[in-house]
Each structure stands twice: as C-alpha cells, then as structure tokens.
Amino acid sequence: MKIWKNCIKYISTFLIAAAVLCGLLVLSAMIPRSAIKKNMQKSAEYLCEKEVFYEIVEDVDSSKIDRYADSILLGIAYQYDSDKPLTSVMWSSYYNDRWRNENENLLHAVANDCDANQQYMRYWHGSNAMVRPLLTFLNIKQIYILNGIIMAVLIIALLIILIKNKLYVAAVGISLGLILTSFWFVPFSLEYFWTYFIMLLMSIIGTMLILKKKYNVLGVFFLISGIVTNYFDFLTTETLTLTIPLLLMICAEQKQNPDMSAKTAAKEAVKAALFWLAGYACMWVAKWLLASLVFSENVLPYVSEHIEERLGGDLGIGFFQYIFGSVKNNIKCIFPFEYGIVGLFGGIILIILAIYTGYVYHGKNIDKKSVLLYLLIGLVPYIRYIVLHNHSYLHFFFTYRAQAATVLAIVMILGKVTERRWHGHARVQKRKK
C-alpha cells in the first residue's frame, strides 16, 4: 500500500509540475509580439555588436560567451504566436538564413517581421517563460545585469546559511568551486545562467530542508530539480543542479548527525540521483509526447538525429582521441590555468596545496566510505563528458563549469581526511589554555 501511495505521489508531482511549467510557457506566448518588439529590436542590435562567440579575455576559452544560443532563444521568443500559443510553444521555431549568423538573423527577423522557417522542438526552451515577459520592459543587456544581481544575491544567501550553521568546509568548497569555474562570466549569457540559478536556489532550499530535518520530501525535491533543469536548460551544465545540492545536503546531514553511516548517505545519494534523472528524462519525453499529440504526428524523427549527434558525432578523429580530448579540454578551462605562465603556476600551487593538506594533516581513522561517496559524486561531470563526448568536445568552453561540483567534492574529501586531526589539534590547544 505504501509503495502505491508513493507512486501516486511522485507521478502526480511530475504531472502537476509539467502542467504548470507548460502553462507558464503558453501564457508567455500569449503576450502580443508588439509588446516585446521594441526591446527585442534593442536586444538584437546589442547582440550584433559582438560575434556569435567571443572571448571577454583574449585567448581564454573559459571567458567565451555564447550569443549564438541567446539569439536563437530570443528568435524563438519573438516567433511565438499569441493566436496559437500552444502550437508555437511546441514547435519552438525561429527565423534562419544560412547566409547570416544567428545574431544577424535575429535582427533581420525583427526588423523585417520575417516568418519562422526552422524548428527547435527538442528542447522546452522554458526560460522564455521568464525572458519573454521581461522583454516587455527590459532589453537583453538589462536582463544580463538583472541575472548578475540575482546570482550574487543567491551566492551570498547560500554562504550565509552555510557559515551560520558552521558548515565551513561546504562554504569553502562552494566558494572555490565557483571561483575555479569562473562564475563571473555566467551572467553574460542566458544559456549559462539558468543551471546556475537553479543550482543555487536548490542548494539553498535543500540545505534548509536538511537543517530543519525535512527528510521525507527529498524524493520530491530532486524530482522537481530534474524537471525544472530540463525545462530551463539548453544542455549546458545540467549536472550542477544534482551534484552541488546533493553534496551540500550530505554535508549538512552529516554535521547534524555525526553517527550517520556512509552507507546510509550513499543510499540517499543514489535515491536522489534516480529521482533527479527520472524528472529530467521524463520531462524531455513529455515534451515530445505532448508535441506529438498537438501535431497529431510522431515528432521523434525531428529529434533523434540530434540525440545521435550529441552522443557521437564525427570530427574525423579516433574514439579515444574524442574521449581524451573532451575531458582534457574541459579540465584546461579551470581557473587560472589559461592565464599564461602565472596562471599555470598558480593552478599548480593550488594542486600542491591540496595534496600537502591531505597528506600532512590526514587523520588516522579516515571515513573511507564517505570519501568514496564524495569522489563518485565529484566524478559525475567526467562521466557526462565521456557519454556526451561530441557535445563536451565542441562546447567545452561552457560545459567545463560542471566541475564546480568536483572542486566542492575535493574540498569535502580534504575536510573528511583531515577532520579528526584538526579536531584533535583544537582539543590540545583548548587544554593548554
């Protein structure tokens, strides 16, 4: 009976969440095109000031901004039809002329009221539920600024919660994770922003749930996290919304309950990952099923070739070169490795410092199972790079940011390895006083 109740709970949660999110997107599509045209024109002109891909810091891939994806997203938002909102949301079409780049296509479409001629239905493009209403009174440059403010507020709020509850290792870990993945470039692109927004928001909510001992809602929490991630994301750093909240929640729970076994934590982590994957995968399937119902045809042929491309692809190199290159390209973008000799030297110093701390201050009775759990979660980005090696090889300049979770995991491992040594040192100092 309990199993059936849980099944009903999770299925109903998914259906309600999917319906609400789809409804929000349809409502945004009902906004007349005339209401967003002025700011869309300004946005298109602003995007055309730079190339579709450009580096804020010269010769630094980690600073590369993707205006290609932002132009497509705005192109889709512009083409929504207020007379046929559901159909236009499902089709997700935009104007494309292969003789122009996407920034120029957007400007041309807005200036000349061009009709859409290219579909992009494989994604929800759910961020338009927020972007399109914002375009009624803000242009894209102002939205970038707003995103930067939101992101800063969420980071500060998360750090305050962690420090206030004496989760110092987690606070150091998340800070280093954000810094080493150059978070300051994220607000300059809508494509980059959404997973960071979700990750930070879910980290705050998830940590607070653990601190208030609301363990019974974790399944629903990660299910919703997966659903929302798929809805907003453009296949960028989607694993962040699973890995970082999960690591922070494990850290908070172990702080509250020091006697909790690593086995129990591992079970909860697996359960969380499965719920997140279920929400993420089912939301994707829901888009394709709903689109098939709306158009009365099977839409899978429209998306299957793109799935194969992301998984494989062919750049004329060997399979192992593909895998190695994908992982290598993402690792080299970690700050400050790309900033010349000084940056490389600084990065090496950080690695040596981490090894030194773990070796010199390691305790005698290390909780190896917890260390293994953190390590496995920290390896999730690399599993993603290998599975989606074509996508990760080509788009390493933003997929590398998923390694923020790896940095957090490493700091948590160092905290666990040195925990008893530091505690012992603190007790000795206290006795001396």
Side-chain angles (χ1 to χ4, degrees):
M1 184 61 108
K2 187 178 179 181
I3 294 175
W4 284 109
K5 283 184 178 180
N6 284 333
C7 286
I8 292 170
K9 178 175 73 172
Y10 295 124
I11 292 171
S12 60
T13 297
F14 174 81
L15 293 175
I16 292 169
V20 169
L21 292 174
C22 181
L24 290 174
L25 202 49
V26 170
L27 285 173
S28 75
M30 293 173 70
I31 298 171
R33 188 179 296 178
S34 58
I36 65 171
K37 185 164 184 176
K38 182 180 178 181
N39 280 316
M40 189 67 83
Q41 177 85 24
K42 289 181 180 179
S43 299
E45 291 170 355
Y46 175 74
L47 291 173
C48 281
E49 292 175 5
K50 299 283 187 180
E51 297 296 323
V52 285
F53 299 100
Y54 74 97
E55 296 163 347
I56 292 179
V57 181
E58 189 176 355
D59 296 325
V60 175
D61 286 322
S62 60
S63 73
K64 189 175 288 185
I65 302 301
D66 186 352
R67 288 191 169 178
Y68 175 88
D70 282 10
S71 291
I72 291 178
L73 182 73
L74 293 189
I76 292 169
Y78 184 71
Q79 295 293 344
Y80 282 163
D81 187 348
S82 57
D83 293 327
K84 300 176 182 178
L86 180 59
T87 302
S88 60
V89 162
M90 289 297 103
W91 196 248
S92 299
S93 57
Y94 63 102
Y95 172 77
N96 176 265
D97 180 345
R98 64 190 182 93
W99 300 110
R100 299 184 180 92
N101 67 40
E102 292 305 337
N103 295 351
E104 294 166 346
N105 277 331
L106 176 63
L107 182 57
H108 184 76
V110 176
N112 299 281
D113 284 321
C114 299
D115 292 329
N117 58 6
Q118 177 73 41
Q119 61 81 19
Y120 212 149
M121 69 163 59
R122 64 183 179 272
Y123 296 108
W124 276 96
H125 306 287
S127 57
N128 272 329
M130 295 179 68
V131 172
R132 207 164 192 270
L134 286 174
L135 284 168
T136 59
F137 57 93
L138 297 176
N139 60 50
I140 191 65
K141 183 178 180 180
Q142 293 166 331
I143 293 174
Y144 289 153
I145 294 169
L146 176 63
N147 287 348
I149 294 170
I150 291 171
M151 192 168 156
V153 169
L154 290 176
I155 290 171
I156 292 168
L158 177 58
L159 289 175
I160 288 173
I161 291 168
L162 295 175
I163 293 169
K164 185 178 179 181
N165 289 279
K166 299 182 179 179
L167 298 169
Y168 303 122
V169 171
V172 170
I174 192 67
S175 298
L176 280 176
L178 291 171
I179 291 169
L180 297 186
T181 54
S182 304
F183 76 97
W184 46 84
F185 296 127
V186 170
F188 290 96
S189 175
L190 293 176
E191 182 189 27
Y192 302 167
F193 174 73
W194 301 112
T195 50
Y196 269 70
F197 171 70
I198 298 165
M199 174 267 289
L200 290 167
L201 189 62
M202 288 299 184
S203 293
I204 291 170
I205 296 171
T207 303
M208 292 302 296
L209 286 174
I210 293 297
L211 293 173
K212 293 181 179 180
K213 299 183 179 181
K214 304 285 187 180
Y215 306 123
N216 59 324
V217 298
L218 295 186
V220 170
F221 172 82
F222 280 102
L223 180 69
I224 291 174
S225 179
I227 291 169
V228 173
T229 300
N230 183 276
Y231 178 75
F232 277 93
D233 190 38
F234 217 41
L235 199 59
T236 57
T237 51
E238 68 288 339
T239 58
L240 280 177
T241 67
L242 165 66
T243 51
I244 285 187
L246 180 57
L247 283 167
L248 294 178
M249 291 164 75
I250 290 172
C251 185
E253 192 168 359
Q254 289 182 332
K255 177 74 174 179
Q256 276 198 322
N257 183 14
D259 296 326
M260 185 181 74
S261 68
K263 186 177 180 180
T264 300
K267 285 182 178 179
E268 291 185 0
V270 170
K271 184 179 176 181
L274 290 175
F275 275 111
W276 186 92
L277 280 170
Y280 187 83
C282 289
M283 194 61 176
W284 223 325
V285 173
K287 170 65 191 292
W288 303 337
L289 288 176
L290 185 55
S292 295
L293 288 172
V294 170
F295 301 129
S296 299
E297 66 171 300
N298 180 15
V299 302
L300 281 180
Y302 293 113
V303 301
S304 58
E305 62 182 276
H306 299 287
I307 296 173
E308 293 170 6
E309 181 184 343
R310 294 299 181 266
L311 292 172
D314 184 10
L315 295 178
I317 59 177
F319 176 73
F320 290 105
Q321 280 182 288
Y322 230 145
I323 298 297
F324 177 76
S326 173
V327 174
K328 175 183 72 71
N329 289 345
N330 279 275
I331 290 175
K332 79 178 181 66
C333 283
I334 293 177
F335 180 82
F337 288 119
E338 289 190 289
Y339 291 81
I341 297 298
V342 175
L344 180 62
F345 181 74
I348 292 171
I349 290 295
L350 283 174
I351 294 172
I352 292 172
L353 182 61
I355 294 172
Y356 174 84
T357 302
Y359 179 75
V360 174
Y361 295 103
H362 71 275
K364 292 182 180 179
N365 299 309
I366 298 170
D367 185 354
K368 295 179 181 178
K369 291 182 179 179
S370 289
V371 169
L372 179 60
L373 175 60
Y374 301 158
L375 177 63
L376 290 174
I377 297 173
L379 288 174
V380 167
Y382 304 106
I383 296 171
R384 192 266 196 205
Y385 298 151
I386 291 170
V387 174
L388 298 178
H389 51 270
N390 184 58
H391 182 269
S392 303
Y393 188 97
L394 294 173
H395 301 297
F396 64 91
F397 56 89
F398 60 75
T399 60
Y400 82 92
R401 290 192 176 91
Q403 294 170 105
T406 307
V407 176
L408 173 57
I410 290 171
V411 173
M412 287 177 62
I413 288 170
L414 287 175
K416 187 62 69 173
V417 166
T418 63
E419 184 178 18
R420 289 176 176 79
R421 182 68 176 266
W422 284 111
H423 285 181
H425 177 74
R427 284 193 292 270
V428 169
Q429 291 297 104
K430 191 174 181 179
R431 283 199 295 270
K432 284 182 179 180
K433 289 181 181 179

Short mmCIF file of all heavy atoms in Angstrom, two decimals, residues 161 205 281 292 407:
data_model
loop_
_atom_site.label_atom_id
_atom_site.label_comp_id
_atom_site.label_asym_id
_atom_site.label_seq_id
_atom_site.Cartn_x
_atom_site.Cartn_y
_atom_site.Cartn_z
N ILE A 161 23.96 31.02 4.96
CA ILE A 161 23.32 29.83 5.56
C ILE A 161 24.37 28.80 5.99
O ILE A 161 24.30 28.25 7.10
CB ILE A 161 22.33 29.19 4.56
CG1 ILE A 161 21.12 30.09 4.36
CG2 ILE A 161 21.87 27.81 5.04
CD1 ILE A 161 20.24 29.69 3.20
N ILE A 205 17.45 25.83 -0.79
CA ILE A 205 16.24 25.12 -0.33
C ILE A 205 16.61 23.76 0.26
O ILE A 205 16.14 23.39 1.35
CB ILE A 205 15.24 24.95 -1.48
CG1 ILE A 205 14.74 26.32 -1.96
CG2 ILE A 205 14.05 24.08 -1.04
CD1 ILE A 205 13.92 26.25 -3.24
N ALA A 281 14.66 13.09 -17.41
CA ALA A 281 14.35 12.29 -18.59
C ALA A 281 12.87 12.35 -18.95
O ALA A 281 12.50 12.50 -20.12
CB ALA A 281 14.79 10.84 -18.37
N SER A 292 3.72 15.57 -30.09
CA SER A 292 3.12 14.58 -31.00
C SER A 292 1.60 14.66 -30.95
O SER A 292 0.91 14.54 -31.98
CB SER A 292 3.58 13.17 -30.63
OG SER A 292 4.97 13.02 -30.83
N VAL A 407 35.26 20.30 -7.63
CA VAL A 407 36.04 21.10 -6.68
C VAL A 407 35.42 21.01 -5.29
O VAL A 407 36.13 20.82 -4.28
CB VAL A 407 36.11 22.57 -7.14
CG1 VAL A 407 36.84 23.42 -6.09
CG2 VAL A 407 36.82 22.67 -8.49
#
